[in-house]
């Protein structure tokens, strides 16, 4: 399945395409909307599905349905400590563990892989937000703060504090504050979206 080349879900075809692309990341499950789920993977997939349906109805001005899906989504997010605003993450959102993930303001490209205890937050002094490219992988316990730009294919190591921009593509950064530590970007990490898709396809 090729990655959908869209910035916002505006049509039913967009919605179907994005969900079909993201399904393999969570075990080729059909969209979960109303059924109870127990597994970590099922919980994450349900949150993603509700987010995508909310985005579709919100972007088309369907006020009642957007409010309904927002209610369902927020109920799940509050239960598991997840905050992801609408229309900030492109197709290919992968949450390994839907626990303590906060995006209070950001702009993220496609194929974002994100672990638990992570935060993307606006700068306190001017409200500037992080901007992430495509194929970015964020390790456990990392924070990306303020108006930083993260290039395509960057892998962010566990427990990192990223408070400056990195323009080099396909590198690994880590530390507090973060700095470049190697040329092994997200494509060399087993937890990247593209590698997860490849592994699912080969099974």
């Amino acid at each position: 399945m090729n990655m959908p080349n869209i910035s916002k879900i505006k049509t039913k075809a967009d919605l179907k395409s994005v969900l079909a692309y993201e399904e393999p990341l969570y075990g080729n499950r059909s969209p979960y909307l109303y059924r109870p789920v127990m597994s970590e993977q099922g919980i994450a997939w349900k949150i993603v599905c509700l987010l995508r349906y909310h985005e579709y109805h919100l972007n088309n001005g369907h006020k009642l349905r957007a409010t309904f899906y927002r209610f369902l989504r927020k109920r799940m997010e509050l239960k598991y400590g997840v905050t992801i605003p609408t229309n900030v993450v492109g197709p290919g959102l992968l949450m390994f563990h839907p626990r303590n993930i906060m995006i209070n303001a950001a702009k993220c490209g496609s194929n974002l892989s994100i672990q638990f205890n992570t935060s993307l937050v606006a700068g306190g002094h001017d409200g500037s937000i992080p901007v992430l490219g495509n194929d970015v992988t964020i390790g456990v316990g990392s924070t990306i703060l303020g108006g930083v730009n993260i290039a395509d294919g960057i892998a962010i190591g566990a427990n990192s504090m990223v408070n400056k921009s990195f323009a080099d593509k396909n590198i690994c950064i880590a530390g507090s504050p973060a700095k470049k530590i190697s040329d092994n970007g997200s494509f060399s990490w087993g937890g990247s979206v593209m590698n997860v898709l490849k592994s699912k396809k080969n099974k």
Side-chain angles (χ1 to χ4, degrees):
M1 180 76 184
N2 293 327
M3 182 179 69
N5 184 23
I6 64 170
S7 58
K8 286 186 178 182
I9 297 174
K10 296 180 180 178
T11 68
K12 288 184 177 179
D14 290 342
L15 177 61
K16 183 177 179 181
S17 180
V18 170
L19 289 175
Y21 181 70
E22 292 175 330
E23 277 177 17
L25 298 172
Y26 299 95
N28 288 306
R29 301 161 183 263
S30 59
Y32 282 147
L33 296 176
Y34 315 113
R35 290 178 291 168
V37 290
M38 300 296 292
S39 68
E40 290 274 287
Q41 195 175 54
I43 292 166
W45 178 226
K46 185 169 184 177
I47 291 172
V48 170
C49 289
L50 292 172
L51 171 66
R52 298 312 188 190
Y53 271 83
H54 183 196
E55 288 175 341
Y56 165 68
H57 290 297
L58 181 68
N59 295 340
N60 284 280
H62 305 155
K63 293 183 179 180
L64 288 178
R65 279 172 285 183
T67 300
F68 173 69
Y69 281 106
R70 182 183 184 278
F71 168 76
L72 293 179
R73 183 171 68 86
K74 288 298 182 182
R75 186 171 62 177
M76 286 286 294
E77 289 185 342
L78 287 171
K79 183 176 181 179
Y80 295 102
V82 175
T83 300
I84 303 176
T86 52
N87 297 316
V88 303
V89 181
L93 170 59
L94 173 58
M95 290 186 289
F96 284 97
H97 304 284
R99 311 280 177 174
N100 301 323
I101 296 173
M102 184 180 74
I103 303 177
N104 83 335
K107 185 65 178 177
C108 306
S110 301
N111 294 338
L112 175 67
S113 173
I114 188 167
Q115 286 278 4
F116 62 95
N117 289 340
T118 54
S119 302
L120 283 74
V121 296
H125 62 290
D126 60 3
S128 57
I129 66 172
V131 178
L132 280 60
N134 299 323
D135 303 299
V136 172
T137 297
I138 305 174
V140 175
S142 294
T143 297
I144 305 174
L145 175 64
V148 300
N149 289 274
I150 306 299
D152 295 347
I154 286 183
I156 300 171
N159 298 316
S160 297
M161 167 63 75
V162 184
N163 57 6
K164 67 177 183 179
S165 297
F166 289 86
D168 294 338
K169 298 181 180 180
N170 304 315
I171 63 171
C172 177
I173 62 175
S176 181
K179 62 182 180 180
K180 178 182 175 180
I181 62 170
S182 77
D183 291 318
N184 297 320
S186 65
F187 295 108
S188 66
W189 287 37
S192 70
V193 169
M194 295 307 296
N195 285 332
V196 170
L197 289 173
K198 286 178 184 177
S199 67
K200 301 286 187 182
K201 186 176 182 181
N202 293 333
K203 286 184 179 180

